[in-house]
Amino acid sequence: MSLKFYSNQELIQRIEKLVRTERKITHLVLLHINEIETRKLHLDMGYDGMYSYLTKGLGFSDGAAYRRLQSARLLNQVPEVAEKIEAGTLNLSQLTQVQKCLTEASQKGVVVSAYQATRILEKIENKNGFETLKTLAAEFDIPAQSFTKLTPQKDQSVRLEVTLSEQQFAELELARSLLSHVFPDGQWSDIIGSLAERFNKKKLGGGRLQLVN
């Protein structure tokens, strides 16, 4: 199918229609997952669980299957989720995060009612991944974790995991904004590397630190 003969307006109209259709189909897929799991049809077909059926039977990737299964279970508890998916105000990644928090709360003996879950979902509508996790951390009283981890990698790069305070992260975000003309992609590795290089130049002057293999 060639799209090059469509006008710009026709292309926009077509993709907008396709996105609306995709959202509707997504919510219908979740409803089917719930019904199949309720009837235990996956067991009749020889699969030991719904996750196995989604990956091996329907060909979903591990991540896609997990997101749909978790979202379907949340939809089962909060039916209003369906219209939010269709409207595009909530996505599968957000629903997965909420369901994960609900499961962890239940394991700790904390009961979250459907009403409370609905209110939480309202708070994360139209939010990105970072803002969603920030809201859920507050709503579910997830304790702060502080650690630093350095992991060497085979290409001589180093993976850095670090916890920043709210103020520290705000300063880093400001630096990223100020350097957006240099690093339009805003990769944190570029920002941190640039800040370190500028600081070192200022402190060391002409004598630069040299890496020796």
Side-chain angles (χ1 to χ4, degrees), residues 58-189:
L58 298 181
F60 283 110
S61 68
D62 292 344
Y66 178 75
R67 287 190 296 273
R68 281 158 180 76
L69 185 56
Q70 294 302 309
S71 297
R73 289 170 177 170
L74 181 59
L75 174 61
N76 202 33
Q77 300 173 57
V78 187
E80 295 84 354
V81 163
E83 57 190 58
K84 306 293 185 183
I85 295 173
E86 281 200 50
T89 59
L90 288 174
N91 58 54
L92 296 184
S93 293
Q94 290 175 297
L95 301 181
T96 300
Q97 290 296 333
V98 172
Q99 180 61 19
K100 179 182 176 182
C101 288
L102 291 173
T103 300
E104 291 176 351
S106 177
Q107 291 172 346
K108 296 175 183 177
V110 178
V111 178
V112 180
S113 68
Y115 174 80
Q116 290 173 308
T118 301
R119 297 287 79 81
I120 292 171
L121 287 165
E122 289 175 353
K123 291 182 179 181
I124 65 172
E125 284 188 57
N126 296 307
K127 291 190 174 181
N128 60 28
F130 179 84
E131 289 297 326
T132 294
L133 292 176
K134 183 177 179 181
T135 300
L136 295 180
E139 290 296 322
F140 288 93
D141 194 24
I142 299 174
Q145 300 181 26
S146 179
F147 69 93
T148 300
K149 181 179 179 181
L150 288 172
T151 305
Q153 303 185 118
K154 65 179 182 179
D155 63 352
Q156 304 304 311
S157 64
V158 177
R159 178 179 175 84
L160 171 64
E161 297 177 59
V162 61
T163 300
L164 301 175
S165 68
E166 182 179 7
Q167 180 61 36
Q168 288 172 327
F169 186 64
E171 294 286 355
L172 198 55
E173 280 197 310
L174 176 58
R176 181 165 70 166
S177 176
L178 294 174
L179 287 169
S180 61
H181 64 292
V182 181
F183 304 111
D185 292 337
Q187 294 292 329
W188 287 117
S189 56

Side-chain angles (χ1 to χ4, degrees), residues 32-48:
H32 280 71
I33 289 174
N34 276 335
E35 189 62 25
I36 289 171
E37 186 169 34
T38 298
R39 299 187 190 186
K40 302 186 184 304
L41 298 181
H42 55 287
L43 298 179
D44 295 339
M45 292 183 286
Y47 297 98
D48 58 1

Side-chain angles (χ1 to χ4, degrees), residues 7-69:
S7 68
N8 293 347
Q9 183 178 1
E10 287 174 328
L11 274 176
I12 296 302
Q13 290 174 340
R14 285 175 63 85
I15 195 169
E16 288 177 350
K17 182 178 180 180
L18 287 169
V19 168
R20 288 193 298 270
T21 302
E22 183 181 35
R23 289 171 182 161
K24 184 175 182 65
I25 290 175
T26 296
H27 119 249
L28 291 175
V29 167
L30 300 185
L31 289 175
H32 280 71
I33 289 174
N34 276 335
E35 189 62 25
I36 289 171
E37 186 169 34
T38 298
R39 299 187 190 186
K40 302 186 184 304
L41 298 181
H42 55 287
L43 298 179
D44 295 339
M45 292 183 286
Y47 297 98
D48 58 1
M50 278 300 297
Y51 180 79
S52 178
Y53 172 56
L54 292 176
T55 53
K56 298 178 182 178
L58 298 181
F60 283 110
S61 68
D62 292 344
Y66 178 75
R67 287 190 296 273
R68 281 158 180 76
L69 185 56

